[in-house]
Amino acid sequence: QVQLVESGGGLVQAGGSLRLSCAASGRTGSNYDMGWFRQAPGKEREFVAKISWSWKGGSTTYLDSVKGRFSISMDSAKNTVYLQMNSLQPEDTGVYYCAAGRVAVIPGGRADYWGQGTQVTVSS
């Protein structure tokens, strides 16, 4: 069982920055993914970013609209993944969910484990 605890959401003006954190506890095993999805009001949950690692090394994947603005990283010693969000825009507003395990980049999202979500609101 993996537990995910998110933090870092809040209210920010357009052009501002936030950093989300997701701390994982429990046995994660090898070939593990951690990432972020978001859900705007009235819309389907969508993939934002993920980081994957295995014996081959790590890799990252991003939603096209956040490339160059968002960056995902991991502190393995703390079992924590971060999402640094810069140049935030109102369209980035939504509930951001941490995901872990087998993270699928599909509409609606799919993963083995989910956090409770943290609200990100970007005002104009």
Side-chain angles (χ1 to χ4, degrees):
Q1 182 80 309
V2 175
Q3 306 292 327
L4 304 176
V5 180
E6 300 148 313
S7 63
L11 175 65
V12 66
Q13 292 186 343
S17 299
L18 286 172
R19 189 180 73 163
L20 306 183
S21 299
C22 176
S25 62
R27 196 176 302 276
T28 57
S30 301
N31 300 315
Y32 211 79
D33 299 342
M34 291 190 72
W36 296 90
F37 292 76
R38 67 187 181 189
Q39 188 168 24
K43 294 186 177 181
E44 188 176 38
R45 184 166 56 192
E46 68 176 348
F47 168 79
V48 177
K50 75 171 183 178
I51 183 166
S52 304
W53 63 96
S54 67
W55 65 271
K56 295 182 178 181
S59 63
T60 58
T61 307
Y62 295 94
L63 175 69
D64 284 345
S65 65
V66 308
K67 289 180 179 177
R69 299 190 297 120
F70 291 10
S71 179
I72 189 169
S73 62
M74 176 175 288
D75 184 338
S76 60
K78 297 181 179 180
N79 294 313
T80 299
V81 65
Y82 303 94
L83 184 67
Q84 178 66 46
M85 305 186 293
N86 299 324
S87 301
L88 284 162
Q89 300 299 315
E91 53 265 35
D92 296 315
T93 293
V95 178
Y96 283 67
Y97 297 91
C98 182
R102 295 167 293 177
V103 178
V105 184
I106 58 172
R110 186 166 67 218
D112 292 327
Y113 305 98
W114 293 95
Q116 293 297 106
T118 184
Q119 177 70 42
V120 172
T121 303
V122 184
S123 65
S124 60

